Amino acid sequence: MSSEEPTFERFLAAVRGTNPFRSHRITDVGSGEATVASIHKNAFTKLTRVVQDAAKEPNSIGALLIGAPGVGKSHLLARLFQWAGEDKATVVYLHNILASPERMLRYVLNATVSDLAGHRGSETTQSRLYTILNRALIRSGALKGRKMMMGPKEIEARKEALARLGARIDPQNAVIPVLNAFLTGTSHGSLGDAAAERRAHAAVLWLSGETLGPDEARLLDCARLLDQAAGAAEDGLALPDDAAVERVLHVLAHLCALAELPLVLCLDQVDNLDPDAVRALMSYAHALLDRAKHLVVIVSGVKQSMLSLRTGEVIPAAAWDRIAERILELHMISPEEARAILEGRLDAALSGFEEKEIEEVIAARKRDRLFPLGSAWLEQRLDGVEELRPRDAILWARDRWEAQQDRLAAVGGKRWLKEWPGPVDGAGTKPPEPKLQDVIDAEVKKKIEEGKMRRRLQQASLPPDEDNLASLTHHLLARCAGQASSTLVSIEHLTAKKQRRAPAYHLLAKEKRADGVTVTTGVTFLCAPSGHGARMPLQRMADDTKHTDKRILVTDEERRPLRLGGAGKAAYDALGKLGRQRFLHLHLDFAGHAELDSLVGLLGAARSQDLEIEYPRGQYRKVTEAEVMASFQRQSLLLAHPLLRELLTEEIVKGGTDTTPPPAWDPQQTREHIMAELSWRLGLMAKELAQIFAARKKLSDRRFAEAWAHIKKTAQALHDEGHVHATATDDDLFVQLRGKK
């Protein structure tokens, strides 16, 4: 890491190399991005009061957060998340919640437990769920006379205390024994007991609504569950119905309240979903609020879209009344508040250079708190403006910063500072306006990359889930059926009917070849955590000899690789004997799952009128859902995904989504490069880190894309390890050292 102190020259390099206003949307509520407490202060105060009320009273509260696009809804939720992290609450942020209507509640549970327990078993001692359980025992008084140590006696004492506490909050004794398996398994696992770690992992799977095989069920060491497993030997052990799923959420909410960290479920951008998904999600939210205790459900969306869902009865009146028990509407901000937002970001960005007493920076900031933007510039922009969106102010500042970068590059640092603020923006010849389609295509591509990286940085927010994968795939393919650009004629999402066995496939697609022959393809998604869970789906595929010409098995090879027992292997081998033209096993990596999620999320943002482009320069227009879909077609973005391509053409695609060759340089040197550059800067985009890296390595221009991808991958790893904080921004990452704002 560089030991050099920041200097004026390094300040100039930082101004050239980054833009603190490039991000105008919240993509990570835990990013710690600078916020201004005075903006939407009343709404934030009401929101925190709702959370505090739910902690005290044995009831649940619904809150509806609405406003125009860009008015600051996600920023307010980010502030709530930061506030909650100060020992105030347990906030679970759920975005783009897509599942079949009948499995929507189960997916909410899966995403919630995944978020609380973390996505890696080895991290469970650092998980929020582990903290909640221990705090609940202490704050409720259930654990007396013993310090929170990790010896066998202390662990046993905690187990007994949680069982006693469970008699009060889980009288059916259905959930607490599994939470005890997690608590004791995690505790013993931290002492090196591998079997205990497996027990904790099995508990997380069951709490998430996953299906356990006999071996995993035995790890839980719970007589009641073992009896259930014996009675369901074929299907495995899982939460049997929605009532059982609700019960887990109820117990978690009650434990959070006892820990004095009330549970808050934030359902953000609900209006991005299709009407059927919205109807199911809101119905389940209504039921949770009616029956749970100490739970807060915050539903957020664009005001116009949410009201349309209400008047169109997509959200029933009873559900609306419950989820909108408290309504918080965000409005436009004043010019004074816009200035405060810009000052807040500049304070965060430039504080490191002021702390090092760089005279030029301190003097400039004393003259004008908006340096290097300029108060005169802002007054000119705000002339005649009575109110505006926070997003608009940030976009103006982004452009102004870029203009200062251009000026700095043109005249050099000393003259730039001496003549600052320089000529009026826009002086000189304006470049020609690009075509509308080109602007849309560029924005669409950037937003898809942003969505993928956001999920990569927060893997727990997108757990491996068969129904979610099927729903995402169906959502995209349904828009292509019957179009001349593909061979797809129809796509059907098959779901299990009540009192009937699960179908052989999740999706059933019909394609028409060039010779006019119709080909039927069945697609099964498999994310089973055990060989037992894989056996029956594979057997159903192998037994189906009448309904399909081709069968496709899709597995999550990165997080849930296919595990086979004896019977499962026999079924898989039988499928393999059909030949590649009739059976395909497609190995999907996490990037492939995240790409499906990002494509669907972008369509949803357009549907709720929350996707904008700057066209012409200085003006902002909505991008419609039809325009996004047309951009997908122009850029062949759906055909680029291996699973979608397989169902849109007759061509078979090998492998997963990652075709980038490994870099020729030392990964450790890359890590050191990133940490050294960040040691004296206010933060850098990964692309800017890659430019510095490429210059030092003297890489050719054709290898820059490879270097950029390598830098992003390394930054993501450093983020996972807690050394840096990375935030997805368009098709790039903004990277800061931990602790810096």
Side-chain angles (χ1 to χ4, degrees):
M1 184 176 292
S2 173
S3 59
E4 296 182 55
E5 291 293 329
T7 63
F8 180 60
E9 287 303 318
R10 287 199 160 196
F11 165 73
L12 295 176
V15 172
R16 292 187 191 101
T18 192
N19 188 335
F21 301 98
R22 188 167 295 172
S23 173
H24 60 86
R25 305 172 67 95
I26 286 290
T27 59
D28 172 12
V29 293
S31 65
E33 188 173 274
T35 59
V36 180
S38 61
I39 307 298
H40 302 313
K41 181 178 180 180
N42 290 339
F44 181 70
T45 300
K46 289 178 182 178
L47 202 54
T48 56
R49 190 175 297 132
V50 166
V51 176
Q52 292 164 341
D53 288 347
K56 299 172 186 175
E57 302 297 331
N59 51 37
S60 295
I61 304 173
L64 180 64
L65 178 62
I66 55 176
V71 81
K73 298 182 294 298
S74 293
H75 278 81
L76 194 71
L77 293 179
R79 285 175 60 189
L80 180 70
F81 191 91
Q82 294 166 18
W83 171 84
E86 299 170 1
D87 218 23
K88 302 286 179 55
T90 303
V91 176
V92 176
Y93 180 78
L94 302 176
H95 169 69
N96 203 25
I97 309 162
L98 192 61
S100 56
E102 57 272 18
R103 292 187 62 86
M104 184 67 76
L105 181 61
R106 195 171 290 260
Y107 185 65
V108 168
L109 175 68
N110 192 354
T112 299
V113 173
S114 177
D115 186 278
L116 294 178
H119 65 277
R120 293 184 179 89
S122 60
E123 295 178 352
T124 48
T125 54
Q126 305 300 316
S127 71
R128 292 197 285 172
L129 181 58
Y130 187 69
T131 298
I132 288 163
L133 292 175
N134 284 305
R135 278 186 53 139
L137 294 178
I138 295 171
R139 301 292 173 94
S140 68
L143 186 65
K144 298 178 180 178
R146 286 193 178 272
K147 296 180 180 180
M148 294 302 294
M149 300 175 66
M150 295 298 285
K153 290 184 178 180
E154 287 77 17
I155 295 172
E156 184 63 25
R158 276 186 278 173
K159 178 181 178 180
E160 294 172 358
L162 184 55
R164 289 193 301 271
L165 188 62
R168 177 156 53 97
I169 66 174
D170 181 26
Q172 294 176 308
N173 202 34
V175 181
I176 288 295
V178 184
L179 286 168
N180 237 330
F182 171 81
L183 178 65
T184 58
T186 298
S187 301
H188 284 294
S190 69
L191 301 178
D193 187 338
E197 282 188 10
R198 291 195 296 272
R199 182 165 70 251
H201 180 61
V204 170
L205 290 174
W206 186 88
L207 292 165
S208 302
E210 302 271 15
T211 300
L212 303 183
D215 292 341
E216 289 86 0
R218 280 191 287 271
L219 284 172
L220 297 181
D221 193 25
C222 172
R224 176 174 176 170
L225 292 180
L226 289 174
D227 290 342
Q228 291 179 11
E234 182 177 287
D235 296 329
L237 177 65
L239 297 169
D241 50 31
D242 284 346
V245 172
E246 277 192 32
R247 192 176 300 119
V248 175
L249 288 167
H250 295 173
V251 172
L252 289 175
H254 207 139
L255 285 167
C256 286
L258 291 173
E260 299 176 8
L261 296 169
L263 180 60
V264 183
L265 298 183
C266 289
L267 310 180
D268 194 18
Q269 299 178 13
V270 164
D271 46 334
N272 285 10
L273 303 176
D274 280 343
D276 287 346
V278 173
R279 184 180 292 108
L281 183 58
M282 293 300 95
S283 295
Y284 284 127
H286 180 195
L288 281 174
L289 288 168
D290 274 353
R291 293 192 276 268
K293 296 178 180 179
H294 305 291
L295 174 68
V296 177
V297 176
I298 301 172
V299 175
S300 174
V302 174
K303 179 181 178 180
Q304 183 179 347
S305 301
M306 293 300 296
L307 293 178
S308 295
L309 292 170
R310 170 66 192 94
T311 56
E313 297 186 349
V314 173
I315 303 177
W320 178 273
D321 291 343
R322 197 65 176 90
I323 64 173
E325 182 179 349
R326 311 279 179 90
I327 298 179
L328 299 92
E329 182 176 353
L330 301 189
H331 300 282
M332 308 279 260
I333 61 172
S334 68
E336 292 75 20
E337 289 173 319
R339 180 185 178 101
I341 289 174
L342 302 188
E343 286 185 355
R345 287 218 183 180
L346 287 171
D347 287 344
L350 303 180
S351 61
F353 293 99
E354 290 185 308
E355 288 169 3
K356 296 300 180 181
E357 297 186 353
I358 299 173
E359 293 181 4
E360 296 89 339
V361 178
I362 294 173
R365 293 273 283 164
K366 282 183 177 178
R367 292 201 329 261
D368 191 333
R369 293 302 296 172
L370 285 181
F371 172 81
L373 302 178
S375 295
W377 158 80
L378 183 60
E379 289 171 7
Q380 183 182 39
R381 289 307 310 250
L382 291 171
D383 184 32
V385 175
E386 295 183 1
E387 59 180 15
L388 69 159
R389 303 179 307 170
R391 183 181 296 177
D392 294 329
I394 294 169
L395 288 170
W396 294 348
R398 177 205 64 187
D399 294 345
R400 174 63 175 174
W401 189 284
E402 288 177 358
Q404 291 298 322
Q405 288 176 324
D406 292 341
R407 176 71 177 164
L408 178 58
V411 303
K414 291 185 178 179
R415 182 177 168 187
W416 170 74
L417 184 62
K418 181 180 179 181
E419 297 179 355
W420 183 85
V424 178
D425 291 354
T429 304
K430 291 185 178 181
E433 286 287 351
K435 293 180 180 179
L436 175 60
Q437 286 188 353
D438 293 341
V439 176
I440 292 175
D441 288 351
E443 186 69 11
V444 163
K445 198 166 185 177
K446 285 191 299 184
K447 290 305 178 188
I448 289 171
E449 288 301 311
E450 178 184 285
K452 288 165 57 178
M453 288 188 291
R454 180 178 66 244
R455 291 299 197 184
R456 168 63 184 82
L457 295 169
Q458 308 161 42
Q459 280 199 38
S461 70
L462 189 67
D465 187 275
E466 296 156 5
D467 189 66
N468 175 251
L469 278 166
S471 298
L472 291 168
T473 305
H474 177 261
H475 187 98
L476 293 165
L477 291 177
R479 299 164 184 274
C480 302
Q483 301 295 317
S485 57
S486 77
T487 58
L488 186 67
V489 176
S490 66
I491 183 77
E492 184 181 0
H493 190 176
L494 307 176
T495 55
K497 307 297 182 183
K498 290 185 177 180
Q499 308 303 323
R500 291 180 58 184
R501 293 179 62 185
Y505 310 103
H506 290 99
L507 301 178
L508 200 62
K510 291 186 183 297
E511 297 177 79
K512 182 170 283 188
R513 296 193 315 219
D515 58 5
V517 175
T518 298
V519 177
T520 302
T521 303
V523 186
T524 295
F525 297 87
L526 192 51
C527 299
S530 67
H532 180 90
R535 178 172 65 91
M536 289 309 299
L538 290 172
Q539 191 64 58
R540 286 192 289 268
M541 287 185 75
D543 290 345
D544 179 57
T545 59
K546 298 179 181 179
H547 302 98
T548 60
D549 304 294
K550 185 191 299 184
R551 284 161 261 196
I552 298 177
L553 174 67
V554 184
T555 56
D556 182 336
E557 287 300 302
E558 187 170 330
R559 297 179 292 173
R560 293 278 177 84
L562 183 62
R563 295 173 60 184
L564 297 173
K569 187 175 186 306
Y572 185 80
D573 290 344
L575 289 166
K577 290 177 182 178
L578 296 173
R580 186 169 177 78
Q581 295 304 315
R582 296 183 62 197
F583 172 67
L584 173 65
H585 181 183
L586 201 156
H587 303 266
L588 201 65
D589 56 12
F590 179 78
H593 189 172
E595 186 171 355
L596 293 173
D597 176 81
S598 186
L599 288 163
V600 171
L602 195 59
L603 286 168
R607 184 186 311 115
S608 64
Q609 303 181 49
D610 200 19
L611 180 64
E612 296 178 334
I613 57 169
E614 190 176 3
Y615 187 86
R617 187 76 170 175
Q619 298 180 30
Y620 300 96
R621 74 180 289 274
K622 311 290 184 189
V623 181
T624 68
E625 197 173 359
E627 287 175 325
V628 172
M629 197 65 201
S631 180
F632 287 175
Q633 300 290 355
R634 282 194 300 273
Q635 302 187 76
S636 298
L637 296 178
L638 301 184
L639 291 175
H641 192 282
L643 173 58
L644 300 179
R645 183 180 183 86
E646 183 60 37
L647 295 167
L648 293 170
T649 70
E650 278 300 290
E651 180 183 347
I652 295 177
V653 179
K654 298 179 181 180
T657 59
D658 186 5
T659 57
T660 304
W665 43 78
D666 183 354
Q668 183 58 32
Q669 289 182 2
T670 310
R671 296 167 69 93
E672 292 172 357
H673 161 73
I674 292 173
M675 298 300 289
E677 291 301 318
L678 293 178
S679 69
W680 60 276
R681 293 178 187 255
L682 49 92
L684 281 170
M685 303 301 295
K687 190 171 187 177
E688 292 149 358
L689 284 163
Q691 289 167 343
I692 300 168
F693 183 82
R696 288 177 179 168
K697 294 290 183 181
K698 298 181 179 179
L699 300 177
S700 63
D701 290 344
R702 63 183 178 83
R703 293 200 64 197
F704 178 74
E706 178 187 338
W708 186 17
H710 176 61
I711 289 287
K712 285 193 283 190
K713 186 175 181 180
T714 306
Q716 288 167 350
L718 290 168
H719 171 94
D720 290 344
E721 295 165 13
H723 300 303
V724 306
H725 192 96
T727 304
T729 303
D730 291 337
D731 57 348
D732 208 353
L733 295 173
F734 182 63
V735 190
Q736 299 169 283
L737 283 180
R738 286 284 182 182
K740 288 193 174 185
K741 296 291 183 76

